[in-house]
Amino acid sequence: MNLDELLAQAQQELSSLSSADQIEAFRIKYLGSKGLLKVASDQLKSLPNDQKRAYGAKLNSVKQAVQSGYDAAKDRLGSSAGSAEVLVDITEPGRITFGDYHPGSLHIVHQTIDALTELFGRMGFSIAQGPELEDEFHNFEALNVPRHHPARDPLDNFYLQRPSGAAPFMLRSQTSSVQIRVLETHKPPVRIIAPGRVYRPDTVDATHSFMFHQIEGLVVDEDITMVDLKTCIDQFAKAFFGADVETRFRPSFFPFTEPSAEFDVRFHYADGSSKWVELGGCGMVDPNVLETVKIDPEKYTGFAFGLGVERIAMRKHGIEDIRLLFENDVRFLKQF
Ligand code: FA5
């Protein structure tokens, strides 16, 4: 078939195309890899040299005419025939196509609080909460810390003066304030933990921050003894850090517990060494505290403890500096 005939035939067929299937059939017949235009191209080789130039030029213009006729027919029918790759299946799940993509996750402190509350939940504790903006009654007075006690020094606390001259509020310095809030509204038996933020103007260093998290624990019921407290702390430590850790109590002082202790956990390392690490304070609820919230200390006893969440997260994951937890460096955070 000569090129003029080929073009005339193609144009005639183009004018009668009326479906995507027909357009695709046209593409294969004329433009496909074994189509008529390919055959016409192959003929070029067998032509005498003096005819090649004219034939090539003619071939190109025929090819362009057929291609643009085909494109126009496709547009006319709004069809995507012949280019399956542009078909879009809108039911396909999305695909991430951009480079440095990291799904978010909970902050390591949050993950630690979740793990601890889940663990204490299994030990029968429910969750209580109190305000971060507290009054002195709940943060100190009701916890047996009287007005001129050194712990109330303005240099050791964040007080917020009120314009009216009324007693100042403060950012709570310990979650022990939630003990009072719970005992004011709940009669024993009480078995709660209270996770939350606390604030102290401590000098920031590798183990101290001015804002950190504690988890308070409080159990008040008949016949609660120090044995219950020790068992609770030991079980928590073994469940959280592993069965091989040991716990110990060291005598200490807190105004709202008597007797009071600090508790340490001993970690064993692969090289055979071990280290005792302080994790929190605890003790038997002082009878004065129970009286303040109108619970009979002759009938009820209780224990309380307070854990530092950052210190626990650091111990669990081998983090040496508390400041890493608050710098929000994604390279650090995305490891957890
Ligand atoms: C208390 O805050 C008591 N309320 C704990 C308590 C509760 C005792 C119930 C008895 C009964 P202490 O000030 O030691 O205790 O703080 C408890 C824990 O918080 C510490 O063991 C430590 O893990 C953590 N902690 C204290 N100060 C900081 C700080 N600046 N930054 C980070 N963690 C801290």
Side-chain angles (χ1 to χ4, degrees):
M1 191 188 301
N2 79 34
L3 291 172
D4 287 326
E5 283 169 13
L6 193 152
L7 181 59
Q9 181 184 322
Q11 279 170 339
Q12 196 201 343
E13 285 183 32
L14 276 169
S15 62
S16 62
L17 295 178
S18 60
S19 75
D21 285 349
Q22 288 175 0
I23 290 178
E24 177 61 357
F26 176 90
R27 185 188 69 78
I28 293 167
K29 178 174 175 185
Y30 288 93
L31 298 161
S33 57
K34 294 179 185 145
L36 291 175
L37 283 164
K38 177 74 172 53
V39 175
S41 297
D42 292 343
Q43 283 174 4
L44 187 68
K45 283 181 243 141
S46 52
L47 286 177
N49 280 346
D50 60 345
Q51 292 177 24
K52 275 186 180 163
R53 192 183 164 89
Y55 186 88
K58 180 93 182 166
L59 179 66
N60 274 341
S61 74
V62 170
K63 267 188 192 167
Q64 275 171 18
V66 174
Q67 181 71 50
S68 59
Y70 163 77
D71 290 343
K74 225 168 67 165
D75 286 350
R76 198 174 66 234
L77 277 166
S79 153
S80 54
S83 49
E85 67 276 7
V86 302
L87 284 174
V88 174
D89 178 356
I90 58 165
T91 65
E92 281 254 314
R95 230 182 328 146
I96 305 302
T97 52
F98 45 97
D100 194 22
Y101 173 80
H102 302 284
S105 63
L106 285 180
H107 190 276
I108 180 72
V109 169
H110 224 108
Q111 288 182 34
T112 308
I113 291 175
D114 283 354
L116 290 168
T117 50
E118 199 263 337
L119 173 54
F120 282 112
R122 280 190 275 136
M123 290 167 73
F125 289 78
S126 47
I127 298 177
Q129 279 185 325
E132 287 176 30
L133 186 60
E134 254 306 359
D135 54 47
E136 291 185 278
F137 176 77
H138 291 89
N139 197 86
F140 289 133
E141 224 124 288
L143 287 164
N144 211 20
V145 185
R147 183 156 295 275
H148 297 293
H149 193 284
R152 295 175 64 157
D153 194 305
L155 288 176
D156 293 329
N157 295 281
F158 289 113
Y159 287 106
L160 286 93
Q161 298 299 343
R162 286 198 282 167
S164 58
F169 286 132
M170 62 183 298
L171 296 176
R172 69 178 175 196
S173 62
Q174 50 183 352
T175 45
S176 299
S177 55
V178 187
Q179 289 187 34
I180 304 303
R181 297 227 165 242
V182 168
L183 293 177
E184 280 174 334
T185 50
H186 294 75
K187 293 298 153 211
V190 164
R191 195 178 181 85
I192 58 98
I193 53 159
R197 284 192 182 140
V198 301
Y199 303 83
R200 295 179 191 177
D202 287 350
T203 303
V204 174
D205 62 20
T207 53
H208 292 83
S209 172
F210 51 84
M211 183 286 291
F212 58 101
H213 296 73
Q214 290 186 333
I215 292 190
E216 193 79 6
L218 174 70
V219 174
V220 179
D221 202 348
E222 292 179 36
D223 301 324
I224 298 292
T225 70
M226 195 92 178
V227 174
D228 299 307
L229 170 58
K230 290 192 86 167
T231 307
C232 177
I233 295 294
D234 194 60
Q235 284 185 345
F236 141 72
K238 286 188 163 59
F240 192 72
F241 292 109
D244 63 328
V245 302
E246 297 159 62
T247 52
R248 77 175 175 197
F249 279 35
R250 280 178 294 105
S252 185
F253 175 79
F254 296 101
F256 36 93
T257 46
E258 179 59 36
S260 303
E262 279 174 321
F263 58 92
D264 305 335
V265 175
R266 185 184 198 176
F267 296 94
H268 296 273
Y269 300 102
D271 64 1
S273 65
S274 67
K275 188 176 173 192
W276 287 100
V277 179
E278 180 206 315
L279 286 189
C282 63
M284 302 305 293
V285 179
D286 193 295
N288 285 346
V289 172
L290 295 177
E291 270 171 9
T292 302
V293 290
K294 302 194 172 49
I295 291 173
D296 182 1
E298 297 296 328
K299 184 171 179 198
Y300 294 106
T301 50
F303 68 76
F305 58 84
L307 310 169
V309 174
E310 282 76 7
R311 301 264 178 97
I312 290 177
M314 289 164 74
R315 189 47 50 192
K316 179 103 178 164
H317 298 283
I319 299 164
E320 296 297 336
D321 195 319
I322 196 170
R323 286 166 288 203
L324 289 166
L325 297 174
F326 301 116
E327 278 169 358
N328 275 341
D329 185 333
V330 173
R331 290 168 302 177
F332 170 77
L333 293 176
K334 75 181 181 189
Q335 299 175 78
F336 305 103

CSV table of all heavy atoms in Angstrom, one decimal, residues 286-305:
chain,number,residue,atom,x,y,z
A,286,ASP,N,-0.1,8.8,106.8
A,286,ASP,CA,0.0,9.4,108.1
A,286,ASP,C,-1.5,9.5,108.7
A,286,ASP,O,-2.3,10.0,107.9
A,286,ASP,CB,0.7,10.7,108.1
A,286,ASP,CG,1.0,11.2,109.5
A,286,ASP,OD1,0.1,11.4,110.3
A,286,ASP,OD2,2.2,11.3,109.8
A,287,PRO,N,-1.7,9.1,109.9
A,287,PRO,CA,-3.1,9.2,110.5
A,287,PRO,C,-3.6,10.7,110.4
A,287,PRO,O,-4.8,10.9,110.2
A,287,PRO,CB,-2.9,8.8,111.9
A,287,PRO,CG,-1.7,7.9,111.9
A,287,PRO,CD,-0.8,8.4,110.8
A,288,ASN,N,-2.7,11.7,110.5
A,288,ASN,CA,-3.2,13.1,110.4
A,288,ASN,C,-3.9,13.4,109.0
A,288,ASN,O,-4.8,14.1,108.9
A,288,ASN,CB,-2.0,14.0,110.5
A,288,ASN,CG,-1.5,14.2,111.9
A,288,ASN,OD1,-2.2,13.7,112.9
A,288,ASN,ND2,-0.3,14.7,112.1
A,289,VAL,N,-3.3,12.7,108.0
A,289,VAL,CA,-3.9,12.9,106.6
A,289,VAL,C,-5.3,12.4,106.6
A,289,VAL,O,-6.2,13.0,106.1
A,289,VAL,CB,-3.0,12.3,105.6
A,289,VAL,CG1,-3.7,12.3,104.2
A,289,VAL,CG2,-1.6,13.0,105.5
A,290,LEU,N,-5.5,11.2,107.1
A,290,LEU,CA,-6.8,10.5,107.1
A,290,LEU,C,-7.8,11.4,107.9
A,290,LEU,O,-8.9,11.6,107.5
A,290,LEU,CB,-6.7,9.1,107.7
A,290,LEU,CG,-5.9,8.1,106.9
A,290,LEU,CD1,-5.8,6.8,107.6
A,290,LEU,CD2,-6.5,7.9,105.5
A,291,GLU,N,-7.3,11.9,109.1
A,291,GLU,CA,-8.2,12.7,109.9
A,291,GLU,C,-8.7,14.0,109.1
A,291,GLU,O,-9.9,14.4,109.2
A,291,GLU,CB,-7.6,13.1,111.2
A,291,GLU,CG,-7.8,12.1,112.3
A,291,GLU,CD,-7.0,12.3,113.6
A,291,GLU,OE1,-6.3,13.4,113.7
A,291,GLU,OE2,-7.0,11.4,114.4
A,292,THR,N,-7.8,14.6,108.4
A,292,THR,CA,-8.1,15.8,107.7
A,292,THR,C,-9.2,15.5,106.7
A,292,THR,O,-10.1,16.4,106.4
A,292,THR,CB,-6.9,16.4,106.9
A,292,THR,OG1,-5.8,16.6,107.9
A,292,THR,CG2,-7.2,17.6,106.2
A,293,VAL,N,-9.2,14.4,106.1
A,293,VAL,CA,-10.3,14.1,105.1
A,293,VAL,C,-11.4,13.2,105.7
A,293,VAL,O,-12.2,12.6,105.0
A,293,VAL,CB,-9.7,13.3,103.8
A,293,VAL,CG1,-8.8,14.3,103.0
A,293,VAL,CG2,-8.9,12.1,104.3
A,294,LYS,N,-11.5,13.3,107.1
A,294,LYS,CA,-12.6,12.7,107.8
A,294,LYS,C,-12.7,11.2,107.6
A,294,LYS,O,-13.8,10.6,107.4
A,294,LYS,CB,-13.9,13.4,107.5
A,294,LYS,CG,-13.8,14.9,107.8
A,294,LYS,CD,-15.1,15.6,107.8
A,294,LYS,CE,-15.0,17.0,108.4
A,294,LYS,NZ,-14.0,17.8,107.7
A,295,ILE,N,-11.6,10.5,107.6
A,295,ILE,CA,-11.6,9.0,107.6
A,295,ILE,C,-11.0,8.6,108.9
A,295,ILE,O,-9.9,9.1,109.3
A,295,ILE,CB,-10.7,8.5,106.4
A,295,ILE,CG1,-11.5,8.8,105.1
A,295,ILE,CG2,-10.5,7.0,106.5
A,295,ILE,CD1,-10.7,8.5,103.8
A,296,ASP,N,-11.6,7.6,109.5
A,296,ASP,CA,-11.2,7.2,110.9
A,296,ASP,C,-9.9,6.4,110.8
A,296,ASP,O,-9.9,5.3,110.3
A,296,ASP,CB,-12.4,6.3,111.5
A,296,ASP,CG,-12.0,5.9,112.9
A,296,ASP,OD1,-10.9,6.3,113.4
A,296,ASP,OD2,-12.9,5.2,113.5
A,297,PRO,N,-8.8,7.0,111.4
A,297,PRO,CA,-7.5,6.3,111.3
A,297,PRO,C,-7.5,5.1,112.3
A,297,PRO,O,-6.5,4.2,112.1
A,297,PRO,CB,-6.5,7.3,111.7
A,297,PRO,CG,-7.2,8.4,112.4
A,297,PRO,CD,-8.7,8.3,112.0
A,298,GLU,N,-8.4,4.9,113.2
A,298,GLU,CA,-8.5,3.7,114.0
A,298,GLU,C,-9.0,2.6,113.2
A,298,GLU,O,-8.7,1.4,113.5
A,298,GLU,CB,-9.4,4.0,115.2
A,298,GLU,CG,-9.0,5.1,116.2
A,298,GLU,CD,-7.6,4.7,116.8
A,298,GLU,OE1,-7.4,3.5,117.1
A,298,GLU,OE2,-6.8,5.7,117.1
A,299,LYS,N,-9.8,2.9,112.2
A,299,LYS,CA,-10.5,1.8,111.4
A,299,LYS,C,-9.7,1.5,110.2
A,299,LYS,O,-9.6,0.3,109.7
A,299,LYS,CB,-11.9,2.2,111.1
A,299,LYS,CG,-12.7,1.1,110.4
A,299,LYS,CD,-14.1,1.5,110.3
A,299,LYS,CE,-14.9,0.4,109.5
A,299,LYS,NZ,-16.2,0.8,109.0
A,300,TYR,N,-9.2,2.6,109.6
A,300,TYR,CA,-8.5,2.4,108.2
A,300,TYR,C,-7.1,2.7,108.3
A,300,TYR,O,-6.6,3.7,109.0
A,300,TYR,CB,-9.2,3.3,107.2
A,300,TYR,CG,-10.6,2.9,106.9
A,300,TYR,CD1,-11.7,3.7,107.4
A,300,TYR,CD2,-10.9,1.8,106.2
A,300,TYR,CE1,-13.0,3.4,107.2
A,300,TYR,CE2,-12.3,1.4,105.9
A,300,TYR,CZ,-13.3,2.2,106.4
A,300,TYR,OH,-14.6,1.9,106.1
A,301,THR,N,-6.3,2.0,107.5
A,301,THR,CA,-4.9,2.3,107.3
A,301,THR,C,-4.7,2.3,105.8
A,301,THR,O,-5.5,1.9,105.0
A,301,THR,CB,-3.9,1.3,107.9
A,301,THR,OG1,-4.4,0.0,107.5
A,301,THR,CG2,-4.0,1.4,109.4
A,302,GLY,N,-3.5,2.8,105.4
A,302,GLY,CA,-3.2,2.9,103.9
A,302,GLY,C,-1.8,3.0,103.6
A,302,GLY,O,-1.0,3.3,104.5
A,303,PHE,N,-1.4,2.8,102.3
A,303,PHE,CA,-0.1,3.1,101.9
A,303,PHE,C,-0.1,4.0,100.6
A,303,PHE,O,-1.2,4.0,100.0
A,303,PHE,CB,0.8,1.9,101.7
A,303,PHE,CG,0.4,1.0,100.5
A,303,PHE,CD1,0.7,1.4,99.2
A,303,PHE,CD2,-0.2,-0.2,100.7
A,303,PHE,CE1,0.4,0.5,98.1
A,303,PHE,CE2,-0.6,-1.1,99.7
A,303,PHE,CZ,-0.3,-0.7,98.4
A,304,ALA,N,0.9,4.7,100.4
A,304,ALA,CA,1.0,5.6,99.2
A,304,ALA,C,2.4,5.5,98.7
A,304,ALA,O,3.4,5.2,99.4
A,304,ALA,CB,0.7,7.0,99.6
A,305,PHE,N,2.5,5.8,97.4
A,305,PHE,CA,3.9,5.8,96.8
A,305,PHE,C,3.9,6.8,95.6
A,305,PHE,O,2.8,7.2,95.1
A,305,PHE,CB,4.4,4.5,96.3
A,305,PHE,CG,3.4,3.8,95.2
A,305,PHE,CD1,3.5,4.1,93.9
A,305,PHE,CD2,2.5,2.9,95.7
A,305,PHE,CE1,2.7,3.5,93.0
A,305,PHE,CE2,1.6,2.3,94.7
A,305,PHE,CZ,1.7,2.6,93.4
